[in-house]
Amino acid sequence: SPKKITIKMLQLLQGERLMLILPYPKGTTFSIIYNAAFWCGENCRVQMRQVGSPKEVAESNGDTYYFDNDEGLLFIRVVMQEEYKLDFVNPNPGINNKAFSRLGVTIPYLSWHNNIVIEADCTPSAENPEYCANDFDGTLARANACAYYGEEDKVQVGFDDCFDVAADDTCGAILADLSPCASNPGCCEQQGLTCFMRDEN
């Protein structure tokens, strides 16, 4: 992974959860800054704080991160902010008003200036010192994203969305095995879900 990453051109609706999980060598430390636009008037640069679990990151308003040193995984949540100020208590209350909607399709507002800068203090790669040495083999200790969020009993129905099968009598049997879900879109629509076909091979 790069020693420095800039995440920009953010385009999300208010309340959406976009979790990024990035591999880094064990022992890596981080400085992660959320920057508002260069013409920002107040609270324009915020240092993200480290918390104790991915669940805390997922439930935050985008000003936290967690590094799983056992697995070498960095978790951050990307949240849209107004460009003129940063507010992690009540983020972007008016951002949806800037979205474009027509005929049931909504395109979120694109933030041209805000960005998140991740700087990693790590052992550099021998091939390229701009990158960290890679000791991640792609194997995750937990079965899916839900377990990382402390929701082990739920089924993963999207990249970072979990569904409580036990609480649903109609769709539980379908969602317990996600492969048939793709052929039962009505069930998914009832739950406001977008299901995907799982590769069984």
Side-chain angles (χ1 to χ4, degrees), residues 13-116:
L13 290 172
Q14 182 181 5
E16 287 187 333
R17 180 171 76 175
L18 173 60
M19 293 285 291
L20 295 182
I21 306 175
L22 306 171
Y24 277 94
K26 298 173 183 179
T28 301
T29 58
F30 300 90
S31 171
I32 305 179
I33 306 290
Y34 200 123
N35 296 299
F38 65 90
W39 41 263
C40 167
E42 59 178 295
N43 202 28
C44 305
R45 177 183 170 90
V46 171
Q47 176 89 41
M48 289 191 180
R49 55 190 175 86
Q50 187 168 9
V51 293
S53 71
K55 183 176 177 64
E56 290 180 74
V57 175
E59 293 176 348
S60 76
N61 284 326
D63 60 342
T64 64
Y65 73 92
Y66 170 70
F67 183 59
D68 187 329
N69 195 57
D70 293 332
E71 290 198 55
L73 295 175
L74 172 68
F75 295 77
I76 69 169
R77 182 186 178 193
V78 178
V79 173
M80 282 283 285
Q81 291 276 349
E82 296 285 2
E83 296 183 309
Y84 62 88
K85 71 172 183 177
L86 301 178
D87 182 351
F88 291 98
V89 176
N90 184 29
N92 58 50
I95 207 75
N96 285 357
N97 296 333
K98 299 180 180 180
F100 174 80
S101 296
R102 180 170 294 176
L103 300 177
V105 177
T106 297
I107 301 175
Y109 173 75
L110 175 64
S111 176
W112 289 92
H113 302 287
N114 290 2
N115 62 75
I116 300 170

Side-chain angles (χ1 to χ4, degrees), residues 124-130 132-134:
S125 166
E127 292 79 18
N128 186 338
E130 297 300 314
C132 298
N134 183 18

Side-chain angles (χ1 to χ4, degrees), residues 171-191:
C171 297
I174 295 174
L175 291 173
D177 181 357
L178 293 180
S179 292
C181 191
S183 62
N184 291 271
C187 168
C188 297
E189 289 170 4
Q190 291 172 19
Q191 303 302 322

